Amino acid sequence: MAERAGVSRSVASRALNNAPHVSRAKREAVERAVRQLGYVPNPTARALATRQTGAAALVVSGEDPSIFADPFFAQVIVGASAALEEADLHLMLCLAASDRGRKRVAELLRSRGADGVMLMALREDDPLARTAEEAQMPVVFGGRPVGSTPRWYVDVDNVGGARAATEHLVSLGRTRVAAICGRLDTEAGRARYRGYRDAMLAAGLEPVPPRGGDFTEAGGAAAMAVLLAEQPDVDGVFAANDNMAAGALRTLREAGRRVPADVAVVGFDDLTVARIADPPLTTVRQPIEALGREMARMLVALVNGQDPSPLILPTRLVVRSSA
């Protein structure tokens, strides 16, 4: 192909990879030769030449291998995949669910086994946060890690969303409002409790100490049972995600409590479970698919040598029958 274009192999390589310092005439000659010969670049050879793999990794740090089946992460994957497809990058899914899994992800970060990484669901003191900071490749965080603010991240307004949810419960005349917070070793869990607490204090009400529910339906059901035992007069509940809110609804129904007449319930996420719950769940909508899409777009910008700014996505209250 270089011979057909009348240029050296190094010039042909630079032209094919859009490298600088190639004259317009030589670049056009290479493009003409490509068309005439029907040349298709070898992706492996291109990776060796450009040190790019043509792939981006979405890494989730968690203990449960089924986490990618969670509707939340499924929507993140849809958004990220669509944005990467536009940039001709393949999506790799990696789960750091064990010591071996974390070591493999750390090796990926150190060895530049991908053009960039999107890192999600980090808990407090997760060693992957330090590894990501030291990585010689672009890393975008989905949500901020506890106790640090990385240079590049996409997050949602967790505090504002939780505050709006609690203010809604207070506006309905509920004065004994409790919170089921999810994991407090995650920034999302802590931020949503802060939003609840801020709204309660602003209304002159006493916040209830956080009840953790680990973001699962079973965890929400168990936390609601504890709340009913400790505070039987509770008349409002903010659950930090829809899965836990669905669990709380189940416990309340089994205890003979009417929703919303006896206890009003608000969730967070606006997943499908919120719409099919009985009663349909008032919740805080966060743009989950947009979270994945904007993480991928930020990563593509970094791969292309740009320096994008961190991004906070808005939330909004969706009122249904539970509150």
Side-chain angles (χ1 to χ4, degrees), residues 291-303:
L291 175 65
R293 183 172 61 250
E294 294 303 329
M295 287 169 56
R297 286 177 174 172
M298 185 175 291
L299 187 64
V300 169
L302 289 168
V303 170

Side-chain angles (χ1 to χ4, degrees), residues 118-206:
M118 297 166 284
L119 195 53
M120 293 195 68
L122 292 188
R123 297 178 185 171
E124 190 173 18
D125 299 326
D126 193 317
L128 283 180
R130 175 68 60 84
T131 305
E133 291 175 359
E134 299 170 351
Q136 299 299 310
M137 65 190 308
V139 178
V140 173
F141 286 78
R144 287 160 286 185
V146 173
S148 67
T149 301
R151 184 171 179 181
W152 298 293
Y153 64 85
V154 181
D155 206 348
V156 299
D157 184 9
N158 289 302
V159 173
R163 185 168 53 240
T166 309
E167 288 172 347
H168 177 69
L169 289 166
V170 172
S171 74
L172 298 176
R174 309 304 166 118
T175 59
R176 297 175 298 280
V177 180
I180 299 175
C181 303
R183 299 191 65 103
L184 292 176
D185 59 354
T186 66
E187 180 58 26
R190 293 186 181 187
R192 292 175 193 179
Y193 182 74
R194 287 199 301 272
Y196 156 81
R197 182 196 60 199
D198 292 350
M200 292 290 285
L201 292 174
L205 301 173
E206 185 66 27

Side-chain angles (χ1 to χ4, degrees), residues 240-264:
N241 80 343
D242 290 343
N243 290 331
M244 293 190 299
L249 290 177
R250 175 163 61 87
T251 296
L252 289 167
R253 185 165 52 249
E254 292 171 352
R257 300 294 183 92
R258 298 169 300 163
V259 177
D262 299 325
V263 183

Side-chain angles (χ1 to χ4, degrees), residues 13 19 32 48 53 82 87 97 124 135 177 229 246 255 257:
S13 176
R32 187 163 50 250
L48 291 171
T53 66
E124 190 173 18
V177 180
R257 300 294 183 92

Side-chain angles (χ1 to χ4, degrees), residues 43-44 46-48 50-57 88-90 92 108 111-116 137:
T44 302
R46 174 170 285 186
L48 291 171
T50 65
R51 295 184 60 83
Q52 292 186 346
T53 66
D88 289 329
L89 288 173
H90 296 291
M92 301 167 52
L108 174 75
S111 66
R112 296 185 64 88
D115 293 340
M137 65 190 308

